[in-house]
Amino acid sequence: MEYVYYPRDDDEKIISEYKHMFELKTLEELVKAYNKEAKCGIVGVHRQALYLIALRKEFLERFGESPIYIVDKVVLGMVGGIGIKSGQLKILE
């Protein structure tokens, strides 16, 4: 599941709004939000990419890692379903 991301003028503002929303969520709520996206898959909608970028930033801040990756500042992807075990992110088989 990957998406080629091309930045647009208002992206940072939208990402910031999503990021603020994620700051208010519990870890379990973040995992649930991510797993919903992973189940649906990346559908190629630009707004979904912004949502995932903001979610990635929140995971990095809270866990120091993220199941959402960015390659060469362009390719956005997800590793699949996740859970939390002993306060750490765990990729589900």
Side-chain angles (χ1 to χ4, degrees):
M1 292 184 276
E2 293 182 328
Y3 174 82
V4 177
Y5 170 67
Y6 295 102
R8 298 179 186 165
D9 291 339
D10 291 339
D11 284 0
E12 286 304 317
K13 179 180 179 246
I14 296 166
I15 291 168
S16 178
E17 290 168 359
Y18 280 134
K19 175 72 171 65
H20 177 69
M21 177 185 71
F22 292 135
E23 290 169 356
L24 304 175
K25 294 192 178 290
T26 66
L27 296 177
E28 291 78 15
E29 290 171 325
L30 289 177
V31 168
K32 185 176 179 179
Y34 170 81
N35 282 333
K36 181 179 175 188
E37 295 299 315
K39 184 177 180 179
C40 172
I42 295 177
V43 295
V45 176
H46 188 78
R47 191 74 174 217
Q48 182 190 30
L50 303 181
Y51 180 90
L52 291 173
I53 290 168
L55 187 55
R56 179 180 190 276
K57 288 182 178 194
E58 190 63 22
F59 274 119
L60 288 172
E61 280 185 19
R62 294 203 202 181
F63 290 102
E65 61 181 327
S66 175
I68 303 163
Y69 60 87
I70 298 176
V71 179
D72 295 330
K73 299 181 182 180
V74 177
V75 178
L76 177 72
M78 298 185 293
V79 298
I82 61 168
I84 301 174
K85 185 173 182 179
S86 302
Q88 299 292 322
L89 288 179
K90 176 125 176 107
I91 297 172
L92 303 176
E93 300 295 324

